[in-house]
Amino acid sequence: MPSHVSADRSATQPPQRGPVDALISQTRRLLGDVDAVRREGLVDDSDPEGRWQRALCDLAVHQLNDLDEHLAQLRDGPEPAVPETAPPSPRTAPGDPRHESLLSRVGSAEWNLLTDEATWSGELYQILGRDPAAPPLTLDELPALVHEDDQAGLTAMVTDCLIDGKPIDGEFRIVRPDGGLRTVHMMGEPVLDSDGTTASMWAVLRDVSELRRSQRAVSETRDSLQRQRHIAQTEHRLAVELQEAVLPPWRGALRFPHGGPETLDLAAHYLPSSESALIGGDWFDALELSDGQSLLSVGDLTGQGVTVTSGMAMLLGALRGMAVAGAEPGQLMGLLNQLLDASVQPTLASAVCCRYTPGTRTLVWAQAGHPAPLLFRSGTGCVLAPPPGVLLGATSGATYEQAEETLEPGDLLLLHTDGLVPRHTGAAAQHRLLALAPRFAEARTAQDCVRTVVEEFGETQREDDACVLIARIY
């Protein structure tokens, strides 16, 4: 405020109503639009980003409410100062529907340094929770209302204003008589006498408690969202690294460390979910055994994220270890079921496990609630009849039967997880996979067949990750 402004503001005239009324109308329309978004559930607060958006809506509503009330106060003019003996104003009496809204309005005060008199507006009494019949507090008494941690700051602002002529612009917390804590923003200036000395100090005090609460909510939800995003990114990176460390590092066709059976050509591919950035528990594996046989398996541990990926690594490690020890596919499934059944965190998994003997081209396999292998021969495809087997971890003491199939040169065996062809899509999707038989017959290698599958199913909208493992018999 300019220093020449008189301390007596009773002659101040309210501004023109027309432009202010127009601003009030625009503010209320915008307020209605924002509030409608909040109330009609267009902002989904079921996730961290939704909660952050709702906090922003709440903040906007508070800001617009403040603006509406301040414009109305600008239009109506300041409320007259309350005399020491005046009864409470009827329009601000408790129970009045506008009583609470006045708490966020702006109040004003003036302290005359020459007479040590103070003058408060009616709004200021409401902000500070003071009895309107009580005399206004002097500058020396004012810190008694302020939170003890903020008293020094208020004293410094007032001292700088009175002695050095610096404007006041700061916030402090006040403790109301009912024990409530409010945050008040104070702006003030010294009013100079004709000789240049400070005659009084005038200030505007605004209750910004709800505004600061909304701002804190926005900040906290934003920080929470950023933390959760960082955690999700970290978990995703760990899950990817763990998956890459566990699954065979294939870049093209599989090559066993010791050459493997000459009658088997292998290739595989991992297809991530199109609807989630999280890594699932799908795996594929091919293991060369000491007796010249090969172990082929695919499986899926339910869930997503680093916890599931680590569980998949544990399950696959156990599978490899027991296979090296000589366990047959059916026995392997039973042992894996016991492992999951004994886990601290109950979980389910599906799997198919095949042991291939190259000398006789015999395939012995078992499954646990998993899609059966597909066999392609002479340009046609079929689903192998699955032996009985429930999901791993579904029941204690489950037993798993085995099936046996004699393969022929040129046969192609395809193992996949159910994310490739979801079961709820029905026989049509399965038929789509079997319809690739003519293209498989023309392919030269297992890797060519994998490329065909990826071309056909790679762009499919999958809710889950998927793995495909193809073995071509020579």
Side-chain angles (χ1 to χ4, degrees):
M1 171 187 295
S3 59
H4 65 273
V5 175
S6 169
D8 181 8
R9 287 168 177 76
S10 60
T12 303
Q13 296 297 320
Q16 294 289 331
R17 289 177 177 268
V20 177
D21 282 336
L23 287 174
I24 290 174
S25 297
Q26 293 177 17
T27 300
R28 290 177 179 175
R29 281 197 298 270
L30 183 56
L31 175 61
D33 292 341
V34 175
D35 196 41
V37 171
R38 182 178 62 169
R39 288 185 293 101
E40 293 175 8
L42 300 180
V43 176
D44 181 12
D45 58 358
S46 60
D47 56 49
E49 186 161 357
R51 287 192 290 273
W52 178 63
Q53 292 173 347
R54 175 167 288 278
L56 283 176
C57 279
D58 291 340
L59 176 60
V61 168
H62 283 308
Q63 295 271 27
L64 290 169
N65 267 323
D66 263 2
L67 178 59
D68 179 43
E69 292 175 0
H70 297 160
L71 287 172
Q73 196 169 15
L74 179 64
R75 178 192 62 192
D76 299 338
E79 182 177 324
V82 178
E84 296 182 11
T85 58
S89 170
R91 75 183 181 98
T92 62
D96 189 291
R98 298 182 64 187
H99 176 69
E100 290 300 323
S101 68
L102 289 174
L103 294 178
S104 61
R105 286 196 173 194
V106 176
S108 62
E110 188 160 8
W111 290 274
N112 190 310
L113 303 182
L114 302 178
T115 64
D116 202 27
E117 293 178 343
T119 305
W120 286 5
S121 69
E123 288 87 357
L124 185 55
Y125 275 92
Q126 293 293 335
I127 290 172
L128 302 181
R130 298 279 294 174
D131 182 356
L137 299 182
T138 65
L139 283 176
D140 291 335
E141 297 170 329
L142 186 61
L145 295 179
V146 178
H147 190 281
E148 59 180 358
D149 293 341
D150 298 344
Q151 290 176 0
L154 173 63
T155 300
M157 287 192 296
V158 171
T159 301
D160 289 343
C161 179
L162 298 181
I163 296 178
D164 299 328
K166 294 181 180 179
I168 289 178
D169 188 354
E171 291 185 9
F172 52 88
R173 291 164 295 171
I174 60 103
V175 182
R176 291 162 56 95
D178 60 4
L181 197 66
R182 309 295 292 182
T183 302
V184 175
H185 182 223
M186 182 177 183
M187 297 183 67
E189 292 183 354
V191 179
L192 303 183
D193 207 345
S194 57
D195 60 358
T197 61
T198 302
S200 62
M201 190 186 83
W202 181 83
V204 170
L205 294 93
R206 177 187 176 206
D207 185 346
V208 293
S209 304
E210 293 304 313
L211 179 60
R212 295 296 176 257
R213 183 196 63 77
S214 293
Q215 289 174 334
R216 285 195 301 272
V218 169
S219 177
E220 290 168 0
T221 53
R222 182 187 60 240
D223 292 346
S224 174
L225 179 60
Q226 290 174 344
R227 285 194 300 271
Q228 293 193 20
R229 284 175 175 170
H230 176 71
I231 292 172
Q233 290 170 354
T234 302
E235 288 187 349
H236 181 266
R237 184 179 68 253
L238 290 174
V240 170
E241 291 174 354
L242 182 58
Q243 183 190 63
E244 291 178 347
V246 172
L247 297 185
W250 294 355
R251 299 295 183 268
L254 170 67
R255 295 292 181 264
F256 283 123
H258 301 96
E262 297 180 356
T263 59
L264 197 60
D265 175 26
L266 292 166
H269 192 80
Y270 177 86
L271 294 91
S273 167
S274 57
E275 298 186 6
S276 174
L278 296 176
I279 300 296
D282 294 63
W283 84 79
F284 59 84
D285 192 38
L287 181 65
E288 181 182 8
L289 301 176
S290 59
D291 58 4
Q293 298 184 11
S294 299
L295 186 77
L296 311 178
S297 67
V298 296
D300 182 11
L301 190 66
T302 57
Q304 293 177 320
V306 66
T307 302
V308 171
T309 309
S310 62
M312 176 269 290
M314 177 272 294
L315 205 63
L316 185 53
L319 175 66
R320 290 171 174 172
M322 291 184 291
V324 169
E328 291 293 321
Q331 185 182 8
L332 281 173
M333 294 293 99
L335 293 171
L336 290 180
N337 181 68
Q338 292 181 31
L339 181 62
L340 286 187
D341 187 52
S343 299
V344 176
Q345 295 181 337
T347 187
L348 298 174
S350 68
V352 62
C353 182
C354 308
R355 181 183 284 266
Y356 176 67
T357 304
T360 59
R361 293 192 178 90
T362 302
L363 184 78
V364 177
W365 66 285
Q367 63 85 29
H370 198 86
L374 305 183
L375 177 61
F376 295 86
R377 177 180 294 169
S378 302
T380 60
C382 68
V383 181
L384 296 183
V390 299
L391 284 169
L392 300 175
T395 182
S396 300
T399 58
Y400 297 83
E401 298 183 18
Q402 296 182 162
E404 184 173 318
E405 191 77 25
T406 300
L407 304 180
E408 300 176 2
D411 283 355
L412 186 141
L413 190 70
L414 188 152
L415 312 180
H416 67 89
T417 57
D418 59 5
L420 182 67
V421 183
R423 296 182 180 182
H424 68 268
T425 58
Q430 186 82 327
H431 176 75
R432 182 180 164 202
L433 189 56
L434 292 173
L436 297 177
R439 296 172 64 181
F440 288 159
E442 297 175 358
R444 294 178 301 173
T445 65
Q447 182 62 21
D448 290 339
C449 296
V450 165
R451 291 194 187 98
T452 299
V453 174
V454 174
E455 289 173 3
E456 186 68 21
F457 293 91
E459 300 300 324
T460 301
Q461 294 297 313
R462 283 181 305 279
E463 298 178 0
D464 195 5
D465 298 358
C467 289
V468 58
L469 170 64
I470 291 180
R472 192 175 184 87
I473 311 301
Y474 289 142

